[in-house]
Amino acid sequence: MSSRRNFIRNASIASMGIVAVPGFARNTFSATDKLNVGLIGVGLRGTNHLQNLLLRKDVNVTAICDVDQERIAIAKKHIAEAKGKAPKVFGSNDMDYKNLLALADVDAVVIATPWLWHTRMTVDAMEAGKYAGVEVSASNTLEECWDLVNTHERSGTHMMILENVNYRRDILAVLNMVKQNVFGELVHFRCGYQHDLRHVKFNDGKTAYGKGVEFGEKGISESKWRTEHSVKRNADVYPTHGLGPIAVMADVNRGNRFLSMTSHATKGIGLHNYIVKEGGETHPNAKVKFKQGDVITSTINTANGETIIITHDCNLPRPYSLGFRVQGANGLWEVDGSRIYVEGESEPHTWSEAQPWLEKFDHPLWKKYGEYALDAGHGGMDFFVMNSFIESAKENIAPPLDAYDAAAWSAVTPLSEVSIANNGEPQDFPDFTRGLWMNRKPYNWMKEAY
């Protein structure tokens, strides 16, 4: 941790010579000053972001907002321990975040709240001229997806979807392979969110994870709000951890785009079985009817002729995996089994161990900063995604993962819901770029800055 603090301090000093690029936002940041950041939502995820921000010497945390006063107290304690100035505090009601957005000493905001608040808070932030970073997914409906794009274009203010898996070490190494044409012309991808979340969707109202079968008003943390989506929606409600990295490899919104998608869902028995096993058949929640299927499979067609299979599998017992496969004319990589096959390099019809390839094509960011990032959360990914957000906000330029990406990736949820309800009927993807995808250049992911 001390080495990471030294790195961030030195990197911040070195960055002072960067000239800010002015944008349309009413608040522009001068690179000779610190970036003033407000946090909306300081639950477990928001607190993780706060701790990483407090290690930076180029950031002031000037305001925090949460309706849970216990979380506010925890956040204030972290700030005090980091010798930061006491922040302005908001959270007297659900709309108090708007008062945070009205502050002159907030340049950028990090939004880590329940999903139903993501779009409205991000839209309000952009309209207030604040550079916005929002947790995943960014939107729940197609209307909300368009709200993000339209507000960005109307206000000129930027937003970034904080998809940390895009910065996972193996993912960036495979992206490097894609850029160096190791797999040849790309053809097919697989990805998803395959994660047993039963211990997250239920708890005892006192412990966030691993105990009890309560949710909603009787639950705490994610069980208080996340489980309701499984009750009311038969959809892939969490697509971006898998789809985000694949969309970047396929240059979606930058020379390519999603065209259409079909989705299917299995029956839903996993959550009910968990309640019965842990709480008994007579527990009131054993009577709850969960609408969400246990395994949801979606297939996307792209303008450039690739297919992408996305799997949502969170209600049954299973090990964690995002299920990545990247396949081209010359070979493929699969995360499960850590295996790769490259024609002319691998033994014919025989998988090779992927690790030597991942090391050979290790991304410049990880080679340069990896030792400082590892304790930032999620194996180091959280350091890189937050660093990209802060550096983009300091320069007031478009981030690597922008409003168009947030809209396209998040649109999987409402489109999958309609397709499932209509027996797998194909759904057309909106073109959130309004045709600009044909000429937009891919972001330079191979640089070592951010």
Side-chain angles (χ1 to χ4, degrees):
M1 186 69 77
S2 61
S3 63
R4 186 163 161 252
R5 286 195 184 96
N6 291 334
F7 156 69
I8 294 172
R9 181 179 65 249
N10 295 335
S12 301
I13 293 171
S15 70
M16 293 303 181
I18 298 175
V19 178
V21 179
F24 296 101
R26 290 186 287 278
N27 281 346
T28 56
F29 172 73
S30 169
T32 59
D33 301 319
K34 292 185 177 183
L35 186 74
N36 293 324
V37 178
L39 287 98
I40 304 176
V42 286
L44 295 179
R45 186 66 179 136
T47 298
N48 179 248
H49 287 316
L50 172 63
Q51 290 172 311
N52 284 323
L53 289 170
L54 290 173
L55 291 174
R56 299 186 66 106
K57 301 305 180 183
D58 55 351
V59 167
N60 286 323
V61 176
T62 55
I64 56 175
C65 179
D66 202 297
V67 293
D68 186 338
Q69 294 307 303
E70 290 185 10
R71 298 307 309 180
I72 288 288
I74 292 170
K76 289 173 67 177
K77 180 180 178 182
H78 282 302
I79 294 170
E81 289 174 347
K83 314 245 183 270
K85 183 179 177 181
K88 296 181 177 69
V89 175
F90 301 86
S92 59
N93 57 66
D94 286 344
M95 294 300 174
D96 204 16
Y97 74 91
K98 292 188 176 184
N99 292 316
L100 181 151
L101 295 175
L103 295 176
D105 62 349
V106 170
D107 304 309
V109 293
V110 174
I111 299 164
T113 54
W115 296 337
L116 293 180
W117 288 95
H118 283 185
T119 296
R120 70 184 71 190
M121 288 176 168
T122 305
V123 164
D124 287 342
M126 286 191 284
E127 289 184 338
K130 313 301 185 185
Y131 202 112
V134 63
E135 268 299 338
V136 300
S137 292
S139 301
N140 296 277
T141 67
L142 287 182
E143 181 183 12
E144 287 187 336
C145 292
W146 278 113
D147 286 344
L148 291 176
V149 170
N150 291 336
T151 304
H152 161 63
E153 292 182 345
R154 182 177 62 252
S155 68
T157 311
H158 296 292
M159 62 84 57
M160 178 175 172
I161 182 170
L162 300 175
E163 182 43 76
N164 61 348
V165 178
N166 279 75
Y167 294 87
R168 208 169 83 175
R169 191 164 200 160
D170 60 342
I171 292 300
L172 284 178
V174 173
L175 177 60
N176 192 6
M177 294 184 213
V178 167
K179 295 297 184 182
Q180 297 195 40
N181 205 37
V182 169
F183 305 113
E185 183 176 355
L186 299 175
V187 175
H188 178 68
F189 304 91
R190 293 185 184 179
C191 61
Y193 191 60
Q194 301 174 128
H195 190 184
D196 182 356
L197 293 182
R198 295 172 301 166
H199 67 292
V200 174
K201 293 184 177 184
F202 302 105
N203 55 44
D204 59 2
K206 300 176 183 178
T207 306
Y209 302 136
K211 296 181 179 180
V213 293
E214 302 293 352
F215 70 96
E217 289 302 315
K218 291 186 177 181
I220 64 166
S221 191
E222 291 181 68
S223 77
K224 198 172 188 67
W225 56 268
R226 185 170 187 158
T227 316
E228 275 306 311
H229 291 265
S230 299
V231 175
K232 297 178 178 177
R233 304 193 75 174
N234 195 7
D236 183 339
V237 296
Y238 204 62
T240 72
H241 279 337
L243 188 56
I246 295 303
V248 167
M249 293 179 195
D251 291 332
V252 170
N253 293 330
R254 298 164 178 84
N256 195 8
R257 80 174 186 93
F258 301 142
L259 286 183
S260 65
M261 187 180 77
T262 64
S263 299
H264 295 84
T266 69
K267 57 189 173 183
I269 61 173
L271 298 182
H272 170 77
N273 289 348
Y274 183 81
I275 292 169
V276 171
K277 178 182 177 182
E278 299 295 329
E281 294 182 359
T282 60
H283 193 283
N285 286 341
K287 298 178 181 179
V288 175
K289 301 295 184 183
F290 293 95
K291 192 171 184 180
Q292 186 180 54
D294 288 337
V295 180
I296 294 171
T297 307
S298 303
T299 302
I300 294 176
N301 293 313
T302 73
N304 288 351
E306 303 100 349
T307 55
I308 305 169
I309 296 176
I310 315 168
T311 303
H312 183 276
D313 178 359
C314 297
N315 300 338
L316 296 169
R318 61 156 300 128
Y320 173 87
S321 174
L322 299 187
F324 288 113
R325 177 201 280 188
V326 178
Q327 188 166 10
N330 298 338
L332 72 163
W333 165 76
E334 291 188 350
V335 67
D336 292 331
S338 183
R339 57 191 191 176
I340 192 170
Y341 180 83
V342 179
E343 191 171 49
E345 298 284 345
S346 304
E347 290 293 325
H349 309 290
T350 304
W351 289 104
S352 299
E353 167 58 45
Q355 190 58 35
W357 288 82
L358 297 176
E359 292 172 0
K360 178 180 178 181
F361 289 92
D362 198 17
H363 191 278
L365 275 174
W366 276 94
K367 286 197 285 189
K368 188 171 183 179
Y369 305 132
E371 66 178 289
Y372 305 104
L374 287 177
D375 57 7
H378 290 96
M381 298 185 294
D382 289 348
F383 167 81
F384 289 110
V385 70
M386 186 53 60
N387 188 58
S388 289
F389 172 70
I390 294 300
E391 294 298 338
S392 299
K394 283 162 59 176
E395 296 186 63
N396 198 23
I397 59 175
L401 312 175
D402 61 16
Y404 305 104
D405 300 319
W409 307 350
S410 300
V412 167
T413 296
L415 291 176
S416 67
E417 188 169 31
V418 174
S419 182
I420 290 167
N422 289 278
N423 198 30
E425 181 181 71
Q427 302 298 307
D428 291 333
F429 258 90
D431 176 8
F432 294 106
T433 73
R434 298 181 176 92
L436 294 180
W437 64 271
M438 289 183 281
N439 296 315
R440 294 182 81 212
K441 301 300 182 185
Y443 178 80
N444 178 18
W445 278 94
M446 301 319 300
K447 60 184 181 179
E448 63 176 23
Y450 62 91

